[in-house]
């Protein structure tokens, strides 16, 4: 099966991908550099001291301390 930009959903995905590549798409994670899924029963060790930036669906996004 071949998908082209005539497929509306695929065309929308292309638009988002182009905007992300051009850095014009809003950063919904607010600069996060790490994330994990709430499906984990124990959070990763790196979470301690990390700055939580966003929650999107089942994911939590963080910026590690000392990173810009």
């Amino acid at each position: 099966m071949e998908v082209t930009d005539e497929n509306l959903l695929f065309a929308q995905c292309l638009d988002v991908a182009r905007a992300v590549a051009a850095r014009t798409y809003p950063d919904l994670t607010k600069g996060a550099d790490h994330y994990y899924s709430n499906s984990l029963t124990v959070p990763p060790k790196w979470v301690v001291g990390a700055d939580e930036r966003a929650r999107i669906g089942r994911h939590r996004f963080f910026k590690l301390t000392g990173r810009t």
Side-chain angles (χ1 to χ4, degrees):
M1 182 168 81
E2 185 176 315
V3 179
T4 69
D5 58 3
E6 291 179 13
N7 176 294
L8 295 179
L9 185 56
F10 184 68
Q12 183 180 20
C13 291
L14 285 176
D15 289 343
V16 169
R18 289 181 183 122
V20 168
R23 298 181 185 253
T24 59
Y25 196 79
D27 179 5
L28 303 177
T29 70
K30 301 174 186 166
D33 53 24
H34 284 66
Y35 75 97
Y36 76 91
S37 171
N38 287 336
S39 65
L40 294 177
T41 56
V42 177
K45 291 180 181 181
W46 54 258
V47 167
V48 176
D51 178 29
E52 184 169 0
R53 298 292 179 98
R55 291 184 185 198
I56 303 172
R58 295 182 178 175
H59 294 90
R60 295 175 69 180
F61 295 83
F62 296 83
K63 182 83 167 178
L64 295 189
T65 305
R67 295 187 183 196
T68 56

